[in-house]
Amino acid sequence: EPEVTQTPSHQVTQMGQEVILRCVPISNHLYFYWYRQILGQKVEFLVSFYNNEISEKSEIFDDQFSVERPDGSNFTLKIRSTKLEDSAMYFCASSATGEAFFGQGTRLTVV
Amino acid sequence: QKEVEQDPGPLSVPEGAIVSLNCTYSNSAFQYFMWYRQYSRKGPELLMYTYSSGNKEDGRFTAQVDKSSKYISLFIRDSQPSDSATYLCALFSGGYNKLIFGAGTRLAVHP
């Protein structure tokens, strides 16, 4: 069964460092998303991506964040200068017609 | 008013019970309605997906949507200890191209 895969599963980084979280969406899907979940809190929308551009973003998705689809299969989330409060699970999702399928997430720990 | 309201629980039931989980929403622009199951530190797993008012059944799970009342439900019949997880409702609007999650209800099914 097709699935969304995310790498790495866990990343530890120092405050101020740049991180890139990677995702391989399901191959025939056209809509891509990043969400985050701080431990014990709700799943929060960050950004949606369609037709090689951002279609929607939340207030959380400020200038420190960027997304790319560098090669037609991968979908990346970059955080330029990580802060302690960026520590969370980051989930990638993809969709064809409305229902979204999620990856297992990357746990980002900023120290 | 929050876009999606969901009682976080926790909800504790004996094995074999019928479980009822609910969400209300405020924006009539939502077109697609989903239920996800999330185990601790894992990605949300899609359980049910519907876009019309009425009932949709899949095994022990029934999703119910009432667009006129802006109310969605998930029923789990013959609940099992393996159903113990957090259940998230999620609503999608194509106009906004994002999935909005409820807070999630933590369910514990005890033997």
Side-chain angles (χ1 to χ4, degrees):
Chain A
E1 188 176 309
E3 60 180 14
V4 176
T5 56
Q6 289 186 245
T7 55
S9 56
H10 188 196
Q11 171 116 29
V12 181
T13 189
Q14 289 203 325
M15 194 167 54
Q17 294 296 303
E18 175 183 286
V19 294
I20 297 176
L21 309 183
R22 291 183 165 79
C23 169
V24 179
I26 294 172
S27 63
N28 62 340
H29 286 184
L30 299 177
Y31 300 89
F32 312 111
Y33 309 88
W34 283 102
Y35 285 79
R36 81 168 185 195
Q37 186 175 34
I38 294 169
L39 188 62
Q41 297 187 24
K42 66 182 290 184
V43 177
E44 298 176 291
F45 170 76
L46 290 178
V47 66
S48 58
F49 193 84
Y50 171 71
N51 202 24
N52 286 322
E53 61 182 28
I54 290 173
S55 49
E56 189 83 28
K57 61 182 180 178
S58 72
E59 292 172 355
I60 302 166
F61 194 87
D62 61 21
D63 292 342
Q64 293 300 311
F65 291 88
S66 62
V67 289
E68 256 192 345
R69 194 140 190 259
D71 57 14
S73 60
N74 291 287
F75 181 49
T76 63
L77 174 70
K78 183 193 291 186
I79 309 174
R80 285 191 186 81
S81 178
T82 49
K83 307 183 191 71
L84 293 176
E85 54 265 35
D86 293 327
S87 295
M89 287 289 289
Y90 287 81
F91 296 110
C92 172
S94 70
S95 169
T97 56
E99 79 270 43
F101 295 87
F102 283 75
Q104 287 303 302
T106 293
R107 181 153 61 107
L108 177 65
T109 303
V110 183
V111 296
Chain B
Q1 185 181 11
K2 287 183 185 174
E3 284 189 288
V4 183
E5 302 263 12
Q6 183 177 12
D7 186 338
L11 184 62
S12 181
V13 301
E15 184 175 353
I18 296 175
V19 175
S20 171
L21 305 163
N22 310 292
C23 287
T24 58
Y25 62 97
S26 56
N27 190 342
S28 57
F30 288 122
Q31 303 157 297
Y32 301 94
F33 308 91
M34 281 148 275
W35 285 95
Y36 289 85
R37 176 173 62 195
Q38 187 179 30
Y39 295 110
S40 182
R41 294 185 180 246
K42 299 290 186 187
E45 173 194 359
L46 182 64
L47 286 177
M48 300 289 284
Y49 163 65
T50 184
Y51 53 86
S52 57
S53 279
N55 292 353
K56 181 177 181 180
E57 194 173 310
D58 184 2
R60 296 184 296 113
F61 299 92
T62 300
Q64 191 174 78
V65 174
D66 182 347
K67 288 188 178 181
S68 61
S69 301
K70 298 190 182 65
Y71 190 87
I72 63 173
S73 301
L74 178 71
F75 299 97
I76 307 174
R77 287 183 298 281
D78 188 25
S79 54
Q80 302 294 309
S82 57
D83 294 328
S84 299
T86 297
Y87 288 81
L88 306 159
C89 64
L91 286 69
F92 179 81
S93 165
Y96 304 116
N97 195 22
K98 61 182 177 182
L99 200 61
I100 302 297
F101 281 89
T105 300
R106 196 150 43 95
L107 171 68
V109 182
H110 52 86

